[in-house]
Amino acid sequence: MVKALSGAARENALASLSGWEQVEGRDAIRKIFQFRDFNAAFGFMSRVALLAEKMDHHPEWFNVYNKVDVTLSTHDADGLSERDIKMAKAMDAWA
Ligand code: HBI
């Protein structure tokens, strides 16, 4: 059972990310990625999809053309967990 991050661990985790915002009324983080075109956006999504399957942890995302709107939270923890931070860092590295 994965636990939601809290206190200093949560603050430190959020501080390690780039450009993610906290979602109003939900223990989740969100970021909108913008790419040069759809091809680049979908390539990013394909790469993240393979990681999601490997981690058994899946983003909530919405894609329109070159934008990918991502929200991360952990259903099992009913909040933000290390899994979300790990995935967010990978997304930042690959964007
Ligand atoms: N993805 N974001 C997210 N959060 C989860 O808790 C989660 C998931 N993908 C698969 C998954 N959990 C499964 O482990 C459970 O639905 C059984």
Side-chain angles (χ1 to χ4, degrees):
M1 172 68 181
V2 63
K3 280 173 59 67
L5 289 166
S6 62
R10 178 185 168 74
E11 293 314 311
N12 292 338
L14 289 172
S16 72
L17 302 180
S18 163
W20 292 81
E21 64 186 22
Q22 298 192 60
V23 176
E24 276 295 307
R26 191 181 165 198
D27 190 13
I29 54 174
R30 180 179 180 220
K31 180 173 180 178
I32 300 175
F33 294 85
Q34 183 159 340
F35 299 88
R36 66 177 180 281
D37 55 23
F38 174 75
N39 189 282
F42 199 78
F44 169 80
M45 293 179 77
S46 302
R47 196 169 184 187
V48 172
L50 295 179
L51 175 65
E53 281 300 281
K54 186 177 172 188
M55 288 177 63
D56 190 24
H57 190 75
H58 303 78
E60 299 162 30
W61 48 6
F62 179 76
N63 160 246
V64 176
Y65 185 55
N66 68 329
K67 288 192 180 72
V68 183
D69 184 344
V70 181
T71 296
L72 296 174
S73 186
T74 301
H75 318 144
D76 296 351
D78 196 21
L80 199 66
S81 78
E82 272 301 335
R83 293 179 186 173
D84 302 306
I85 304 303
K86 178 178 177 176
M87 183 161 277
K89 283 179 177 172
M91 288 182 165
D92 287 346
W94 293 341

